[in-house]
Amino acid sequence: MKKNLSRAVAVGAAALSTLVFSASPAAAGGVSETVYGAYGSGDFYYASKTNSNKIYLKLADSNADGHHVRIRVQSLTPNRVVTSYAWRSVTTGAGTANEWVTSLTDSNGIWALRVQVCVFEKDTAVRCGESAWDGNTYY
């Protein structure tokens, strides 16, 4: 009787933890990119194959060169089409940073996300780099 009760409790706890985790948004690992003068990172939380409901972006200007820095999210569809989203900027000089929280939906699917980090002179990109792709855990 005692063994059966222990087994039932263990099975019930496992089922409950599966239910709790399956109802939560799927989190993937973070990505980052450094180019001379800028550092940016992104943490992506996927809610489905077409939605990332929480995107945390961080951007820092690391060089007193008179340039400002920008970051944006890029998505990759299952058909390998890249889409670039709105830029976020830090224009307050070296040693300053900013953070944003956003989301995105693409009816064509979000197979993966990454960040693109650039150093700009006015509206012209001087240096850019892209992080590795962060795969959507729903695929």
Side-chain angles (χ1 to χ4, degrees):
M1 175 77 171
K2 196 172 189 179
K3 279 186 178 179
N4 288 342
L5 179 59
S6 296
R7 186 176 305 140
V9 168
V11 169
L16 181 60
S17 69
T18 301
L19 178 63
V20 168
F21 286 116
S22 65
S24 302
V31 298
S32 64
E33 181 62 24
T34 301
V35 296
Y36 181 73
Y39 168 81
S41 66
D43 291 313
F44 309 113
Y45 294 84
Y46 301 99
S48 67
K49 288 184 174 185
T50 60
N51 179 262
S52 179
N53 62 342
K54 288 188 181 170
I55 298 172
Y56 296 92
L57 299 173
K58 296 179 185 177
L59 177 64
D61 186 333
S62 58
N63 193 11
D65 57 5
H67 299 304
H68 71 279
V69 296
R70 297 183 190 182
I71 188 171
R72 67 179 170 185
V73 175
Q74 293 182 314
S75 67
L76 185 65
T77 68
N79 294 332
R80 306 308 187 258
V81 175
V82 176
T83 302
S84 297
Y85 296 90
W87 288 108
R88 284 9 186 227
S89 302
V90 171
T91 59
T92 48
T96 62
N98 207 345
E99 298 181 8
W100 301 268
V101 180
T102 189
S103 63
L104 68 87
T105 300
D106 186 337
S107 61
N108 294 314
I110 302 169
W111 188 77
L113 296 171
R114 70 179 178 191
V115 294
Q116 183 180 38
V117 177
C118 296
V119 175
F120 272 77
E121 173 63 35
K122 297 184 182 173
D123 286 328
T124 303
V126 177
R127 288 179 292 284
C128 290
E130 292 85 23
S131 70
W133 288 106
D134 178 72
N136 184 340
T137 52
Y138 284 92
Y139 281 96

